[in-house]
Amino acid sequence: MKADVIIPVYKPDQRLHALLERLRKQTVQPGKILLMNTEERYFDPGICEGIAGVEVHHVPKAQFDHGGTRHQAVQYSDADILVFMTQDAMPKDRHLLEELIRPLTEGKASVSYARQLPAPDCRELERYTRAFNYPPQSCIKSAEDLERLGIKTFFCSNVCAAYLRRDYDAMGGFIRKTIFNEDMIMAGRMIQSGKRIAYTAQARVVHSHNYTGSMQFHRNFDLAVSQADHPEIFSGISSQKEGIRLVKETALHFLRTGKPWLIGELIIKSGCKFLGYRLGKNYRKLPKKVIKYCTMNPSYWDF
């Protein structure tokens, strides 16, 4: 099966060139590498120099949308498998694409997403969160897991994920207008239609962030907005239970490893997450000015 890679980019630097080089050294070679660049003036064509099969398509910032822009890129591809990545995700080894698409080529799933490993500069709290969300054990998720896993059944990340094209098309593609979370919305629709999602731990990318409490607040606000906008998927499935389990297990981890002072950081950032999430779930009750303060995507609300 042919696989194309789609990467939305914004103000790319030489790290993108390194990512493109690593993609071209994979044991399974992508067909096209489609870059959806926001604002042509920020793009240096030299970043693609020496890399075969790269196509660059420019999108004005006012037209960028997490789901819509990715779906636009799909129209430039005729591949059987669509691999979505972000510009800050770096393949851990030469087998990333080979392992990522394996559940699709073997008919085990419609979507496969990769394990995310912490970068060397990753702080302890984020490092443990990565291990919690991306363990070393692979799994296949279906509607049968909803009672056991809850919201985690729909968990998927376009930081690095592969979609079987025929099933992507059958779902109508990514939602065209969304603030965030287009990957989980698609995964939820797939699960509801009887399809399966693979978490493929053997497919590994290095990707992490050292978010501040403020950043966590804004991110979780937008996450909750996306859930509030799609009750057909998220209604009746709570995210809070999973969040509480993460906080408890992280605190126990810090105690077991002799780092109890990190529990303070955990409490503060968890509080920021919870506050952002609660406000986002109720965003329709908030004035536009408050919403634009809470969001990490103010331009989304300019309509």
Side-chain angles (χ1 to χ4, degrees):
M1 288 186 174
K2 178 184 174 184
D4 286 347
V5 177
I6 295 169
I7 310 173
V9 298
Y10 180 60
K11 295 185 177 181
D13 55 24
Q14 286 305 309
R15 286 173 294 183
L16 177 61
H17 182 81
L19 167 57
L20 297 176
E21 283 190 321
R22 291 198 184 193
L23 288 175
R24 278 294 167 217
K25 293 177 181 177
Q26 291 289 299
T27 53
V28 169
Q29 284 283 299
K32 295 179 182 177
I33 302 176
L34 294 160
L35 304 182
M36 300 300 290
N37 175 67
T38 303
E39 293 295 342
E40 186 171 2
R41 60 192 169 128
Y42 295 135
F43 190 84
D44 176 9
I47 286 175
C48 305
E49 189 174 343
I51 311 294
V54 177
E55 284 186 16
V56 183
H57 300 272
H58 299 290
V59 181
K61 190 172 183 180
Q63 295 179 17
F64 175 82
D65 178 80
H66 283 278
T69 300
R70 286 176 169 89
H71 183 72
Q72 181 183 343
V74 171
Q75 310 316 303
Y76 303 126
S77 169
D78 61 358
D80 307 292
I81 294 174
L82 305 165
V83 177
F84 294 90
M85 296 185 69
T86 55
Q87 69 188 71
D88 58 349
M90 194 66 65
K92 177 67 175 176
D93 54 41
R94 297 177 62 244
H95 302 280
L96 170 66
L97 295 183
E98 176 186 353
E99 296 294 346
L100 184 67
I101 70 173
R102 190 187 303 278
L104 310 188
T105 59
E106 293 181 351
K108 295 179 178 178
S110 299
V111 183
S112 170
Y113 67 99
R115 184 182 183 190
Q116 295 182 30
L117 301 173
D121 65 346
C122 185
R123 298 183 61 165
E124 187 70 19
L125 176 55
E126 172 66 9
R127 189 173 293 273
Y128 186 79
T129 301
R130 278 281 171 272
F132 180 89
N133 287 327
Y134 302 96
Q137 302 83 22
S138 298
C139 67
I140 304 286
K141 299 178 290 185
S142 70
E144 296 177 358
D145 297 301
L146 278 167
E147 185 174 348
R148 179 175 62 91
L149 295 177
I151 193 72
K152 205 75 178 252
T153 312
F154 299 155
F155 188 76
C156 180
S157 176
N158 274 348
V159 164
C160 185
Y163 296 74
L164 205 56
R165 174 67 178 267
R166 65 172 180 266
D167 291 338
Y168 174 91
D169 287 342
M171 296 293 103
F174 291 127
I175 193 82
R176 304 298 192 272
K177 179 70 174 176
T178 181
I179 191 169
F180 188 49
N181 214 26
E182 79 292 334
D183 37 22
M184 281 188 67
I185 294 169
M186 172 62 84
R189 292 165 64 199
M190 291 268 195
I191 291 289
Q192 289 176 346
S193 67
K195 295 174 172 48
R196 291 170 294 182
I197 309 297
Y199 165 58
T200 308
Q202 296 83 7
R204 301 176 298 166
V205 292
V206 177
H207 177 265
S208 59
H209 295 285
N210 290 315
Y211 286 132
T212 64
S214 175
M215 291 174 180
Q216 296 283 18
F217 170 86
H218 296 305
R219 182 178 177 82
N220 276 262
F221 179 87
D222 288 356
L223 174 67
V225 167
S226 75
Q227 293 186 10
D229 283 346
H230 293 279
E232 76 281 4
I233 296 171
F234 299 105
S235 178
I237 302 178
S238 173
S239 298
Q240 295 180 40
K241 183 178 179 181
E242 187 68 9
I244 291 170
R245 187 169 77 91
L246 171 59
V247 172
K248 287 181 176 178
E249 293 196 14
T250 306
L252 287 173
H253 168 73
F254 289 157
L255 290 173
R256 285 194 299 264
T257 55
K259 300 173 182 177
W261 60 87
L262 291 176
I263 294 176
E265 179 185 357
L266 170 66
I267 292 171
I268 291 170
K269 289 186 176 178
S270 298
C272 291
K273 286 182 179 181
F274 179 75
L275 180 58
Y277 184 82
R278 293 300 296 172
L279 288 171
K281 289 288 276 189
N282 295 281
Y283 82 91
R284 293 184 179 89
K285 300 177 183 178
L286 303 176
K288 178 72 74 68
K289 186 176 181 179
V290 174
I291 289 173
K292 296 192 80 169
Y293 171 79
C294 293
T295 185
M296 65 177 181
N297 292 298
S299 61
Y300 176 82
W301 302 94
D302 293 334
F303 54 83

